Coordinates of all heavy atoms in Angstrom, one line a residue:
M1 N 0.8 -1.2 0.0 CA 0.0 0.0 0.1 C 0.8 1.2 0.0 O 1.8 1.3 0.7 CB -0.9 0.0 1.2 CG -2.0 1.1 1.2 SD -3.2 0.7 2.4 CE -3.9 2.2 2.6
Q2 N 0.5 2.2 -0.9 CA 1.3 3.4 -0.9 C 0.8 4.5 0.0 O -0.4 4.6 0.3 CB 1.2 4.0 -2.4 CG 1.9 3.2 -3.4 CD 1.8 3.9 -4.8 OE1 0.7 4.4 -5.0 NE2 2.8 3.9 -5.6
T3 N 1.8 5.3 0.5 CA 1.3 6.5 1.2 C 0.8 7.5 0.3 O 1.1 7.4 -0.9 CB 2.6 7.0 2.0 OG1 3.5 7.6 1.1 CG2 3.3 6.0 2.9
P4 N 0.1 8.5 0.8 CA -0.4 9.5 -0.1 C 0.8 10.2 -0.9 O 0.6 10.5 -2.1 CB -1.1 10.6 0.8 CG -1.5 9.6 1.9 CD -0.4 8.6 2.2
S5 N 1.9 10.4 -0.3 CA 3.0 11.1 -1.0 C 3.6 10.2 -2.0 O 3.9 10.7 -3.1 CB 4.2 11.4 0.1 OG 3.7 12.4 1.0
E6 N 3.7 8.9 -1.8 CA 4.1 7.9 -2.8 C 3.1 8.0 -4.0 O 3.7 7.9 -5.1 CB 4.3 6.6 -2.2 CG 5.5 6.5 -1.2 CD 5.5 5.1 -0.5 OE1 4.4 4.5 -0.3 OE2 6.6 4.8 0.0
A7 N 1.9 8.0 -3.7 CA 0.9 8.0 -4.8 C 1.0 9.2 -5.7 O 1.0 9.1 -6.9 CB -0.5 7.8 -4.2
L8 N 1.2 10.4 -5.1 CA 1.3 11.6 -5.8 C 2.6 11.6 -6.7 O 2.6 11.9 -7.8 CB 1.4 12.8 -4.9 CG 0.0 13.3 -4.3 CD1 0.3 14.3 -3.3 CD2 -0.8 13.7 -5.4
L9 N 3.8 11.1 -6.1 CA 5.0 11.0 -6.8 C 4.9 10.0 -8.0 O 5.3 10.2 -9.1 CB 6.1 10.6 -5.9 CG 6.7 11.7 -5.0 CD1 7.7 11.1 -4.0 CD2 7.2 12.9 -5.7
A10 N 4.2 8.9 -7.8 CA 4.0 7.9 -8.9 C 3.2 8.4 -10.0 O 3.5 8.4 -11.2 CB 3.4 6.6 -8.3
A11 N 2.1 9.2 -9.6 CA 1.3 9.8 -10.6 C 2.0 10.9 -11.4 O 1.8 11.0 -12.7 CB 0.0 10.4 -10.0
A12 N 2.8 11.6 -10.8 CA 3.7 12.7 -11.5 C 4.6 12.2 -12.4 O 5.0 12.8 -13.3 CB 4.3 13.6 -10.3
S13 N 5.1 11.0 -12.0 CA 6.2 10.4 -12.9 C 5.6 9.8 -14.2 O 6.4 9.4 -15.1 CB 7.0 9.3 -12.2 OG 6.2 8.2 -11.9
V14 N 4.3 9.6 -14.4 CA 3.7 9.1 -15.6 C 3.8 10.1 -16.6 O 3.4 11.3 -16.4 CB 2.3 8.6 -15.4 CG1 1.6 8.3 -16.6 CG2 2.2 7.5 -14.3
Q15 N 4.4 9.9 -17.8 CA 4.7 10.8 -18.8 C 4.1 10.3 -20.2 O 4.3 9.1 -20.4 CB 6.1 11.3 -19.0 CG 6.6 11.9 -17.7 CD 8.1 12.2 -17.8 OE1 8.9 11.4 -18.3 NE2 8.5 13.4 -17.4
D16 N 3.6 11.2 -20.9 CA 3.1 10.7 -22.2 C 4.3 10.7 -23.2 O 5.2 11.6 -23.1 CB 2.0 11.7 -22.8 CG 0.7 11.6 -22.0 OD1 0.4 10.5 -21.4 OD2 0.0 12.5 -21.9
V17 N 4.3 9.9 -24.2 CA 5.3 9.8 -25.2 C 4.6 9.8 -26.5 O 3.7 9.1 -26.8 CB 6.2 8.5 -25.1 CG1 7.2 8.5 -26.2 CG2 6.9 8.5 -23.7
V18 N 5.1 10.7 -27.4 CA 4.5 10.7 -28.8 C 5.7 10.8 -29.8 O 6.8 11.0 -29.4 CB 3.7 12.1 -29.0 CG1 2.5 12.1 -28.1 CG2 4.6 13.4 -28.9
R19 N 5.3 10.4 -31.0 CA 6.3 10.4 -32.1 C 5.9 11.5 -33.0 O 4.7 11.7 -33.3 CB 6.4 9.1 -32.8 CG 7.0 8.0 -32.0 CD 8.0 7.2 -32.9 NE 8.5 6.1 -32.0 CZ 9.8 6.0 -31.6 NH1 10.6 7.1 -32.0 NH2 10.2 5.1 -30.9
D20 N 6.9 12.3 -33.5 CA 6.7 13.3 -34.5 C 6.8 12.8 -35.9 O 7.2 11.6 -36.1 CB 7.5 14.6 -34.2 CG 9.0 14.4 -34.5 OD1 9.4 13.3 -35.0 OD2 9.7 15.4 -34.2
A21 N 6.5 13.5 -36.9 CA 6.7 13.1 -38.3 C 8.1 12.7 -38.7 O 8.3 12.0 -39.6 CB 6.1 14.3 -39.2
E22 N 9.1 13.2 -37.9 CA 10.4 12.8 -38.3 C 10.9 11.5 -37.5 O 12.0 11.1 -37.6 CB 11.4 13.9 -37.9 CG 11.2 15.1 -38.7 CD 12.1 16.3 -38.2 OE1 13.0 16.2 -37.4 OE2 11.9 17.3 -38.8
G23 N 9.9 11.0 -36.8 CA 10.2 9.7 -36.1 C 10.8 9.9 -34.7 O 11.1 8.9 -34.0
R24 N 10.9 11.1 -34.3 CA 11.6 11.3 -33.0 C 10.6 11.0 -31.8 O 9.4 11.2 -32.0 CB 12.1 12.8 -32.8 CG 13.2 13.2 -33.7 CD 13.5 14.7 -33.5 NE 12.4 15.4 -34.0 CZ 12.4 16.7 -34.0 NH1 13.5 17.4 -33.5 NH2 11.4 17.5 -34.4
R25 N 11.1 10.5 -30.7 CA 10.3 10.1 -29.6 C 10.3 11.3 -28.6 O 11.4 11.7 -28.1 CB 11.0 8.9 -29.0 CG 10.3 8.4 -27.7 CD 11.1 7.2 -27.2 NE 10.9 6.9 -25.8 CZ 9.9 6.1 -25.4 NH1 9.1 5.5 -26.2 NH2 9.8 6.0 -24.0
L26 N 9.2 11.9 -28.4 CA 9.1 13.1 -27.6 C 8.4 12.7 -26.2 O 7.2 12.3 -26.3 CB 8.3 14.2 -28.2 CG 8.8 14.6 -29.6 CD1 7.8 15.6 -30.2 CD2 10.2 15.1 -29.6
T27 N 9.0 12.8 -25.2 CA 8.5 12.6 -23.8 C 8.0 13.9 -23.3 O 8.7 15.0 -23.3 CB 9.6 12.1 -22.9 OG1 10.1 10.9 -23.4 CG2 8.9 11.8 -21.5
L28 N 6.7 14.0 -23.0 CA 6.0 15.1 -22.5 C 5.9 15.3 -21.0 O 5.8 14.2 -20.3 CB 4.6 15.2 -23.1 CG 4.5 15.0 -24.7 CD1 3.1 15.1 -25.1 CD2 5.4 16.0 -25.3
R29 N 6.0 16.5 -20.6 CA 5.7 16.8 -19.1 C 4.5 17.6 -19.0 O 4.2 18.4 -19.9 CB 6.9 17.5 -18.5 CG 7.2 19.0 -19.0 CD 8.2 19.8 -18.3 NE 9.4 19.4 -18.2 CZ 10.4 19.7 -19.1 NH1 10.1 20.6 -20.1 NH2 11.7 19.3 -19.0
R30 N 3.8 17.5 -17.9 CA 2.7 18.4 -17.6 C 3.1 19.6 -16.9 O 3.8 19.5 -15.9 CB 1.6 17.6 -16.9 CG 1.1 16.4 -17.5 CD -0.2 15.8 -17.0 NE -0.5 14.6 -17.5 CZ -1.2 14.5 -18.7 NH1 -1.4 15.5 -19.5 NH2 -1.5 13.2 -19.1
L31 N 2.9 20.7 -17.4 CA 3.3 22.0 -16.8 C 2.4 22.3 -15.7 O 1.1 22.3 -15.7 CB 3.2 23.2 -17.8 CG 4.2 23.0 -19.0 CD1 4.1 24.3 -19.8 CD2 5.6 22.8 -18.6
G32 N 3.0 22.5 -14.5 CA 2.2 22.9 -13.3 C 2.1 24.4 -13.2 O 2.7 25.2 -14.0
A33 N 1.5 24.9 -12.1 CA 1.4 26.2 -11.8 C 2.7 26.9 -11.8 O 3.0 28.0 -12.3 CB 0.6 26.5 -10.6
L34 N 3.7 26.4 -11.1 CA 5.0 27.0 -11.0 C 5.8 27.0 -12.3 O 6.4 28.1 -12.6 CB 5.8 26.3 -9.9 CG 7.2 26.9 -9.6 CD1 7.1 28.3 -9.1 CD2 7.9 26.1 -8.5
D35 N 5.6 26.0 -13.1 CA 6.2 25.9 -14.4 C 5.6 27.1 -15.2 O 6.4 27.8 -15.9 CB 6.0 24.7 -15.1 CG 6.5 23.4 -14.4 OD1 7.8 23.6 -13.9 OD2 5.9 22.3 -14.4
R36 N 4.3 27.3 -15.2 CA 3.7 28.4 -16.0 C 4.1 29.7 -15.5 O 4.4 30.6 -16.3 CB 2.2 28.2 -16.0 CG 1.7 27.0 -16.8 CD 0.3 26.8 -17.0 NE -0.5 26.8 -15.8 CZ -0.8 25.6 -15.1 NH1 -0.5 24.5 -15.7 NH2 -1.5 25.7 -14.0
L37 N 4.3 29.9 -14.2 CA 4.7 31.1 -13.7 C 6.1 31.5 -14.0 O 6.4 32.6 -14.5 CB 4.6 31.2 -12.2 CG 5.1 32.4 -11.4 CD1 4.0 33.5 -11.7 CD2 5.1 32.1 -9.8
R38 N 7.0 30.4 -14.1 CA 8.4 30.7 -14.5 C 8.4 31.0 -16.0 O 9.4 31.7 -16.4 CB 9.2 29.5 -14.1 CG 9.5 29.4 -12.7 CD 10.3 28.2 -12.3 NE 10.6 28.2 -10.9 CZ 10.9 27.1 -10.1 NH1 11.0 25.9 -10.7 NH2 11.1 27.3 -8.8
L39 N 7.6 30.3 -16.8 CA 7.5 30.7 -18.2 C 7.2 32.1 -18.4 O 7.8 32.8 -19.3 CB 6.6 29.8 -18.9 CG 6.3 30.0 -20.4 CD1 7.6 30.0 -21.2 CD2 5.4 29.1 -21.0
L40 N 6.2 32.7 -17.7 CA 5.8 34.0 -17.8 C 7.0 34.9 -17.4 O 7.2 36.0 -18.1 CB 4.6 34.4 -16.9 CG 3.3 33.7 -17.4 CD1 2.2 34.0 -16.4 CD2 2.9 34.3 -18.8
E41 N 7.7 34.6 -16.4 CA 8.9 35.3 -16.0 C 10.0 35.3 -17.1 O 10.6 36.3 -17.4 CB 9.5 34.8 -14.7 CG 10.6 35.6 -14.2 CD 11.3 35.0 -13.0 OE1 10.9 33.9 -12.5 OE2 12.1 35.7 -12.3
A42 N 10.2 34.2 -17.7 CA 11.2 34.0 -18.8 C 10.7 34.9 -20.0 O 11.6 35.4 -20.7 CB 11.3 32.6 -19.2
A43 N 9.5 34.9 -20.3 CA 9.0 35.6 -21.4 C 9.1 37.1 -21.3 O 9.3 37.8 -22.2 CB 7.5 35.2 -21.7
G44 N 9.0 37.6 -20.1 CA 9.1 39.0 -19.9 C 7.7 39.7 -20.1 O 6.8 39.0 -20.5
A45 N 7.6 41.0 -19.7 CA 6.4 41.6 -19.7 C 5.7 41.6 -21.2 O 4.5 41.4 -21.2 CB 6.5 43.1 -19.2
E46 N 6.5 41.9 -22.1 CA 5.9 42.1 -23.5 C 5.4 40.8 -24.1 O 4.2 40.7 -24.4 CB 6.9 42.7 -24.4 CG 6.4 43.0 -25.8 CD 5.4 44.3 -25.8 OE1 5.5 45.1 -24.8 OE2 4.6 44.2 -26.6
L47 N 6.3 39.8 -24.0 CA 5.8 38.5 -24.6 C 4.7 37.8 -23.7 O 4.1 36.9 -24.2 CB 7.0 37.6 -24.8 CG 7.9 38.0 -25.9 CD1 9.2 37.1 -25.9 CD2 7.2 37.9 -27.2
S48 N 4.6 38.1 -22.5 CA 3.6 37.4 -21.6 C 2.3 37.8 -22.1 O 1.3 37.1 -21.8 CB 3.9 37.9 -20.1 OG 5.0 37.3 -19.6
R49 N 2.1 38.9 -22.8 CA 0.8 39.4 -23.3 C 0.6 38.8 -24.7 O -0.5 39.1 -25.3 CB 0.7 40.8 -23.3 CG 0.7 41.4 -21.9 CD 0.4 42.9 -21.8 NE 1.5 43.7 -22.5 CZ 2.4 44.2 -21.7 NH1 2.7 44.0 -20.4 NH2 3.4 44.9 -22.4
N50 N 1.6 38.2 -25.3 CA 1.4 37.7 -26.7 C 0.9 36.2 -26.7 O 1.7 35.3 -26.5 CB 2.8 37.8 -27.3 CG 2.7 37.4 -28.8 OD1 2.0 36.6 -29.3 ND2 3.6 38.0 -29.6
D51 N -0.3 36.1 -26.9 CA -1.0 34.7 -26.8 C -0.3 33.7 -27.8 O -0.1 32.5 -27.4 CB -2.5 34.7 -27.0 CG -3.2 35.5 -25.9 OD1 -2.7 35.5 -24.8 OD2 -4.4 35.9 -26.2
R52 N 0.0 34.2 -28.9 CA 0.6 33.2 -29.9 C 2.0 32.8 -29.5 O 2.3 31.6 -29.6 CB 0.6 33.8 -31.3 CG -0.8 33.9 -31.9 CD -0.7 34.5 -33.2 NE -2.1 34.7 -33.7 CZ -2.5 34.7 -34.9 NH1 -1.6 34.7 -35.8 NH2 -3.8 34.9 -35.2
W53 N 2.8 33.7 -28.9 CA 4.1 33.3 -28.6 C 4.0 32.4 -27.3 O 4.7 31.4 -27.3 CB 5.0 34.6 -28.1 CG 6.4 34.3 -28.0 CD1 7.4 34.4 -28.9 CD2 6.9 33.8 -26.7 NE1 8.6 34.0 -28.3 CE2 8.3 33.6 -27.0 CE3 6.5 33.6 -25.4 CZ2 9.3 33.2 -26.0 CZ3 7.5 33.1 -24.5 CH2 8.8 33.0 -24.7
L54 N 3.2 32.7 -26.4 CA 3.0 31.9 -25.2 C 2.5 30.5 -25.6 O 2.9 29.5 -25.0 CB 2.0 32.5 -24.2 CG 2.6 33.5 -23.2 CD1 1.5 34.1 -22.3 CD2 3.7 32.9 -22.4
G55 N 1.6 30.4 -26.5 CA 1.0 29.1 -26.9 C 2.1 28.2 -27.5 O 2.4 27.0 -27.2
M56 N 3.0 28.8 -28.3 CA 4.1 28.1 -28.8 C 5.1 27.7 -27.7 O 5.7 26.6 -27.7 CB 4.9 28.9 -30.0 CG 6.0 28.2 -30.6 SD 5.6 27.1 -31.9 CE 5.0 28.2 -33.2
A57 N 5.4 28.6 -26.9 CA 6.3 28.4 -25.7 C 5.8 27.2 -24.8 O 6.6 26.5 -24.3 CB 6.5 29.7 -24.9
V58 N 4.5 27.2 -24.6 CA 4.0 26.1 -23.8 C 4.1 24.8 -24.5 O 4.5 23.8 -23.8 CB 2.4 26.4 -23.4 CG1 1.8 25.1 -22.9 CG2 2.3 27.6 -22.4
L59 N 3.9 24.7 -25.7 CA 4.2 23.5 -26.4 C 5.6 23.0 -26.3 O 5.9 21.9 -26.0 CB 3.8 23.6 -27.9 CG 2.3 23.8 -28.2 CD1 2.1 24.1 -29.7 CD2 1.5 22.8 -27.7
A60 N 6.6 24.0 -26.5 CA 8.0 23.7 -26.5 C 8.4 23.3 -25.0 O 9.2 22.3 -24.8 CB 8.8 24.8 -26.9
C61 N 7.8 24.0 -24.0 CA 8.2 23.7 -22.6 C 7.6 22.4 -22.2 O 7.9 21.8 -21.1 CB 7.8 24.8 -21.7 SG 8.8 26.3 -22.0
S62 N 6.7 21.8 -22.8 CA 6.0 20.6 -22.4 C 6.8 19.3 -22.9 O 6.4 18.2 -22.5 CB 4.6 20.5 -23.1 OG 3.7 21.5 -22.6
V63 N 8.0 19.5 -23.5 CA 8.8 18.5 -23.9 C 9.9 18.2 -22.8 O 10.7 19.1 -22.6 CB 9.5 18.7 -25.3 CG1 10.3 17.6 -25.7 CG2 8.3 18.8 -26.4
A64 N 9.9 17.1 -22.2 CA 10.8 16.7 -21.2 C 12.1 16.0 -21.8 O 13.2 16.0 -21.2 CB 10.2 15.9 -20.1
A65 N 11.9 15.4 -22.9 CA 13.0 14.5 -23.6 C 12.8 14.4 -25.0 O 11.6 14.3 -25.5 CB 13.2 13.2 -22.9
I66 N 13.8 14.4 -25.7 CA 13.7 14.1 -27.2 C 14.6 12.8 -27.4 O 15.8 12.9 -27.1 CB 14.2 15.2 -28.1 CG1 13.3 16.5 -27.8 CG2 14.2 14.8 -29.5 CD1 13.9 17.7 -28.6
D67 N 14.0 11.7 -27.9 CA 14.7 10.5 -28.1 C 15.4 10.0 -26.8 O 16.5 9.7 -26.8 CB 15.7 10.5 -29.3 CG 15.0 10.6 -30.6 OD1 13.8 10.1 -30.7 OD2 15.5 11.2 -31.6
D68 N 14.7 10.2 -25.7 CA 15.1 9.8 -24.4 C 16.3 10.6 -23.8 O 16.8 10.3 -22.8 CB 15.5 8.3 -24.3 CG 14.2 7.4 -24.6 OD1 13.1 7.8 -24.1 OD2 14.4 6.4 -25.3
L69 N 16.6 11.7 -24.5 CA 17.7 12.6 -24.0 C 16.9 13.8 -23.3 O 16.1 14.5 -23.9 CB 18.5 13.2 -25.2 CG 19.5 14.2 -24.8 CD1 20.6 13.6 -24.0 CD2 20.0 14.9 -26.1
P70 N 17.2 13.9 -22.0 CA 16.4 14.9 -21.2 C 16.7 16.3 -21.7 O 17.8 16.7 -22.1 CB 16.9 14.7 -19.7 CG 17.6 13.4 -19.7 CD 18.0 13.1 -21.2
W71 N 15.6 17.1 -21.7 CA 15.7 18.5 -22.0 C 15.1 19.3 -20.8 O 13.9 19.1 -20.5 CB 15.0 18.9 -23.3 CG 15.7 18.4 -24.5 CD1 15.7 17.2 -25.0 CD2 16.6 19.2 -25.3 NE1 16.5 17.2 -26.1 CE2 17.2 18.4 -26.3 CE3 17.1 20.5 -25.2 CZ2 18.0 18.8 -27.2 CZ3 18.0 20.9 -26.1 CH2 18.4 20.1 -27.1
P72 N 15.9 20.1 -20.2 CA 15.3 20.9 -19.0 C 14.4 21.9 -19.4 O 14.3 22.3 -20.6 CB 16.5 21.6 -18.4 CG 17.5 21.7 -19.5 CD 17.3 20.5 -20.4
M73 N 13.5 22.3 -18.5 CA 12.5 23.4 -18.8 C 13.3 24.6 -19.0 O 14.1 25.1 -18.3 CB 11.6 23.5 -17.5 CG 10.7 24.6 -17.5 SD 9.3 24.3 -18.3 CE 8.3 25.7 -18.0
P74 N 13.1 25.3 -20.2 CA 13.8 26.6 -20.5 C 13.5 27.6 -19.5 O 12.4 27.8 -19.0 CB 13.1 27.0 -21.8 CG 12.6 25.7 -22.4 CD 12.1 24.8 -21.3
A75 N 14.5 28.4 -19.1 CA 14.5 29.4 -18.1 C 14.6 30.8 -18.7 O 14.6 31.7 -17.8 CB 15.5 29.2 -17.1
S76 N 14.6 30.9 -19.9 CA 14.7 32.3 -20.6 C 14.0 32.3 -21.9 O 13.8 31.2 -22.4 CB 16.3 32.6 -20.7 OG 16.9 31.8 -21.7
K77 N 13.9 33.5 -22.5 CA 13.3 33.7 -23.8 C 14.3 32.8 -24.8 O 13.7 32.1 -25.7 CB 13.2 35.1 -24.2 CG 12.8 35.3 -25.6 CD 12.8 36.8 -25.9 CE 12.5 37.0 -27.4 NZ 13.5 37.6 -28.2
Q78 N 15.5 33.0 -24.7 CA 16.4 32.3 -25.6 C 16.4 30.8 -25.4 O 16.5 30.0 -26.5 CB 17.8 32.8 -25.4 CG 18.1 34.2 -25.7 CD 17.6 35.2 -24.7 OE1 17.3 34.9 -23.5 NE2 17.5 36.5 -25.1
G79 N 16.2 30.3 -24.3 CA 16.0 28.9 -24.0 C 14.7 28.3 -24.7 O 14.7 27.2 -25.2
V80 N 13.6 29.1 -24.6 CA 12.3 28.8 -25.3 C 12.6 28.7 -26.8 O 12.2 27.7 -27.5 CB 11.2 29.7 -24.9 CG1 10.0 29.4 -25.7 CG2 10.9 29.6 -23.4
E81 N 13.2 29.7 -27.3 CA 13.4 29.8 -28.7 C 14.3 28.6 -29.2 O 14.1 28.0 -30.2 CB 14.1 31.1 -29.1 CG 13.1 32.3 -29.0 CD 13.8 33.6 -29.2 OE1 15.1 33.7 -29.3 OE2 13.0 34.6 -29.3
A82 N 15.4 28.3 -28.5 CA 16.2 27.2 -28.7 C 15.4 25.9 -28.7 O 15.6 24.9 -29.6 CB 17.3 27.0 -27.8
M83 N 14.5 25.6 -27.8 CA 13.7 24.4 -27.8 C 12.7 24.4 -29.0 O 12.5 23.4 -29.6 CB 12.9 24.4 -26.4 CG 12.2 23.1 -26.2 SD 13.4 21.8 -26.1 CE 12.4 20.4 -25.6
V84 N 12.1 25.5 -29.4 CA 11.2 25.6 -30.5 C 12.0 25.3 -31.7 O 11.6 24.4 -32.6 CB 10.5 27.0 -30.7 CG1 9.9 27.1 -32.0 CG2 9.6 27.2 -29.5
E85 N 13.3 25.8 -31.9 CA 14.2 25.5 -33.0 C 14.4 24.1 -33.1 O 14.4 23.4 -34.1 CB 15.4 26.4 -33.0 CG 16.3 26.1 -34.1 CD 17.5 27.0 -34.2 OE1 17.9 27.4 -33.1 OE2 18.0 27.3 -35.3
R86 N 14.7 23.4 -31.9 CA 15.1 22.0 -31.9 C 14.0 21.1 -32.3 O 14.1 20.2 -33.0 CB 15.6 21.7 -30.5 CG 15.9 20.2 -30.2 CD 17.2 19.9 -30.9 NE 17.6 18.5 -30.5 CZ 17.5 17.5 -31.3 NH1 17.1 17.6 -32.5 NH2 17.9 16.3 -31.0
L87 N 12.8 21.5 -31.8 CA 11.6 20.7 -32.2 C 11.1 20.9 -33.6 O 10.7 19.9 -34.3 CB 10.4 21.1 -31.2 CG 10.5 20.7 -29.8 CD1 9.5 21.3 -28.9 CD2 10.5 19.1 -29.7
G88 N 11.2 22.1 -34.1 CA 10.8 22.4 -35.5 C 9.3 22.2 -35.6 O 8.6 21.9 -34.6
D89 N 8.8 22.3 -36.9 CA 7.4 22.1 -37.1 C 6.9 20.8 -36.7 O 5.8 20.7 -36.2 CB 7.1 22.5 -38.6 CG 7.4 23.9 -39.0 OD1 7.3 24.8 -38.0 OD2 7.6 24.2 -40.1
A90 N 7.6 19.8 -37.1 CA 7.2 18.3 -36.8 C 7.0 18.1 -35.4 O 6.0 17.5 -34.9 CB 8.1 17.3 -37.4
G91 N 8.0 18.6 -34.5 CA 7.9 18.3 -33.1 C 6.7 19.2 -32.5 O 5.9 18.6 -31.6
I92 N 6.6 20.4 -32.9 CA 5.6 21.3 -32.3 C 4.2 20.7 -32.7 O 3.4 20.7 -31.8 CB 5.8 22.7 -32.8 CG1 7.0 23.4 -32.2 CG2 4.5 23.6 -32.5 CD1 7.0 23.6 -30.7
A93 N 4.0 20.3 -34.0 CA 2.7 19.7 -34.3 C 2.4 18.5 -33.5 O 1.2 18.3 -33.0 CB 2.8 19.4 -35.8
A94 N 3.4 17.6 -33.2 CA 3.1 16.4 -32.5 C 2.7 16.8 -31.1 O 1.8 16.1 -30.5 CB 4.3 15.5 -32.5
V95 N 3.4 17.7 -30.5 CA 3.1 18.1 -29.1 C 1.7 18.7 -29.1 O 0.9 18.4 -28.2 CB 4.1 19.1 -28.5 CG1 3.8 19.5 -27.2 CG2 5.5 18.3 -28.5
S96 N 1.4 19.5 -30.0 CA 0.1 20.2 -30.1 C -1.0 19.2 -30.2 O -2.0 19.2 -29.5 CB 0.0 21.1 -31.3 OG -1.2 21.7 -31.4
R97 N -0.9 18.2 -31.0 CA -1.9 17.1 -31.1 C -2.0 16.4 -29.8 O -3.1 16.0 -29.4 CB -1.5 16.1 -32.2 CG -1.8 16.7 -33.6 CD -1.6 15.6 -34.7 NE -0.4 14.9 -34.7 CZ 0.7 15.4 -35.4 NH1 0.6 16.5 -36.1 NH2 1.8 14.7 -35.3
A98 N -1.0 16.1 -29.1 CA -0.9 15.3 -27.8 C -1.6 16.0 -26.8 O -2.3 15.5 -25.9 CB 0.4 14.9 -27.4
I99 N -1.5 17.4 -26.7 CA -2.0 18.1 -25.5 C -3.3 19.0 -25.9 O -3.7 19.7 -25.1 CB -1.0 19.0 -24.8 CG1 -0.5 20.1 -25.7 CG2 0.2 18.0 -24.3 CD1 0.5 21.1 -24.9
A100 N -3.7 18.9 -27.2 CA -4.8 19.7 -27.6 C -6.1 19.6 -26.6 O -6.6 20.6 -26.4 CB -5.2 19.3 -29.0
P101 N -6.4 18.4 -26.2 CA -7.7 18.4 -25.3 C -7.4 19.3 -24.1 O -8.4 19.9 -23.6 CB -7.8 16.9 -24.9 CG -7.1 16.1 -26.0 CD -6.0 17.1 -26.5
E102 N -6.2 19.4 -23.5 CA -5.9 20.1 -22.4 C -6.1 21.6 -22.7 O -6.6 22.4 -21.9 CB -4.6 19.9 -21.8 CG -4.4 18.5 -21.2 CD -2.9 18.2 -20.7 OE1 -2.2 19.2 -20.5 OE2 -2.6 17.1 -20.6
A103 N -5.5 22.0 -23.8 CA -5.6 23.4 -24.3 C -7.1 23.8 -24.4 O -7.5 24.9 -24.1 CB -4.9 23.6 -25.6
G104 N -7.9 23.0 -25.0 CA -9.4 23.3 -25.1 C -10.0 23.4 -23.8 O -10.9 24.3 -23.5
A105 N -9.7 22.6 -22.8 CA -10.2 22.7 -21.5 C -9.8 24.1 -20.8 O -10.7 24.7 -20.1 CB -9.8 21.6 -20.6
D106 N -8.6 24.4 -21.0 CA -8.1 25.8 -20.5 C -8.9 26.9 -21.0 O -9.3 27.8 -20.4 CB -6.6 26.0 -20.8 CG -5.8 25.1 -19.9 OD1 -6.2 24.5 -18.9 OD2 -4.5 24.9 -20.3
A107 N -9.1 26.8 -22.3 CA -9.9 28.0 -23.0 C -11.3 28.0 -22.4 O -11.9 29.1 -22.2 CB -9.9 27.8 -24.5
A108 N -11.9 26.9 -22.3 CA -13.3 26.8 -21.7 C -13.3 27.4 -20.3 O -14.2 28.1 -20.0 CB -13.8 25.4 -21.7
I109 N -12.3 27.1 -19.5 CA -12.3 27.6 -18.2 C -12.1 29.1 -18.2 O -12.8 29.8 -17.4 CB -11.2 26.9 -17.4 CG1 -11.5 25.5 -17.1 CG2 -10.9 27.6 -16.0 CD1 -10.4 24.6 -16.6
A110 N -11.3 29.6 -19.1 CA -11.0 31.0 -19.2 C -12.2 31.8 -19.8 O -12.2 33.0 -19.8 CB -9.8 31.2 -20.0
G111 N -13.2 31.1 -20.4 CA -14.3 31.8 -20.9 C -14.1 32.1 -22.4 O -14.8 33.0 -22.9
N112 N -13.1 31.6 -23.0 CA -12.7 32.0 -24.4 C -13.3 31.0 -25.4 O -13.5 29.9 -25.3 CB -11.2 32.0 -24.6 CG -10.5 33.0 -23.8 OD1 -11.2 34.1 -23.5 ND2 -9.4 32.8 -23.4

């Protein structure tokens, strides 16, 4: 029998894996409240108001590993841009398809 803490840690360690059109294995992470807050800080005041930039940044930051090689959560605008460049169109599209239901739920909650 697991303790409540063990159950939470086990649930957090479950990650989705998708393949992009280039055949790369993308391991996804679920962004928590602190992750999103840090992303806003990395984006800065101007980009934090740019929904399209933030949407692309969330997709890029949702990748924890590419072909089982870990990729840390970007901590700066340049880090986000490097991750977007690394993923390219194929990677971003695969991540978008994988987390699309979550994005729709967020929009519904926000009233959009």
